[in-house]
Amino acid sequence: MSKPKFAMYWAAACGGCEIAVLNINEGILDVDANFDVVFWPVAMDAKYKDVEAMPDKSITLTLFNVAIRNDENAHIAQMLRAKSQVLVAFGACACEGGIPGLANLSTKQALLDTVFSTISTDNPKDLRPQTTFKMPEG
């Protein structure tokens, strides 16, 4: 008989929930003994395409410890919902928004200005994230 399948995912989160799970120390071996861990990007080499190829409802339990802040986060949430029998909103970010949820109280421009241009930021060239980048050949 095969073991139930387990997945865990974070997107827009601080990583505290992942650390909390890893802080069970040797208890992590009990997780491995009782579950086939099929997707946990923080703890294993995992690819989205591998999960996409799984049959729907083939993952027994997914702990989803994230806030959803972008299209990729939403896509993975929907994919894991389809692939999981049980999907648990795990942690403060997943249940209440947590620190990432505070960004919902500001405009995108105000958020970028705060992150990249306030006195506590060392960014003398006022560099900002870019949606595209042309890489020269060679």
Side-chain angles (χ1 to χ4, degrees):
M1 183 167 137
S2 64
K3 296 189 279 186
K5 292 179 175 31
F6 171 78
M8 189 165 179
Y9 187 74
W10 106 29
C14 67
C17 293
E18 301 284 336
I19 299 305
V21 170
L22 292 174
N23 277 345
I24 64 174
N25 301 316
E26 297 84 23
I28 200 72
L29 298 174
D30 293 332
V31 173
D32 184 57
N34 290 288
F35 286 91
D36 181 12
V37 180
V38 296
F39 184 69
W40 190 2
V42 169
M44 63 185 285
D45 183 22
K47 306 290 186 252
Y48 295 162
K49 65 181 174 128
D50 296 334
V51 178
E52 289 167 346
M54 293 178 182
D56 285 354
K57 305 295 181 202
S58 62
I59 300 172
T60 310
L61 171 65
T62 296
L63 298 181
F64 194 81
N65 59 317
V66 303
I68 296 174
R69 294 284 307 147
N70 60 33
D71 293 342
E72 179 185 3
N73 300 160
H75 169 73
I76 301 304
Q78 292 164 351
M79 178 181 62
L80 286 170
R81 174 61 273 169
K83 302 300 179 181
S84 302
Q85 294 173 31
V86 176
L87 184 127
V88 176
F90 179 71
C93 295
C95 297
E96 300 164 357
I99 298 299
L102 293 175
N104 294 331
L105 303 175
S106 302
T107 65
K108 179 176 156 183
Q109 189 60 48
L111 181 63
L112 289 172
D113 289 344
T114 299
V115 171
F116 292 101
S117 300
T118 57
I119 195 164
S120 64
T121 304
D122 184 14
N123 187 10
K125 294 181 181 179
D126 197 30
L127 299 174
R128 301 292 177 109
Q130 303 298 308
T131 56
T132 60
F133 178 76
K134 184 166 175 99
M135 182 70 183
E137 288 197 38

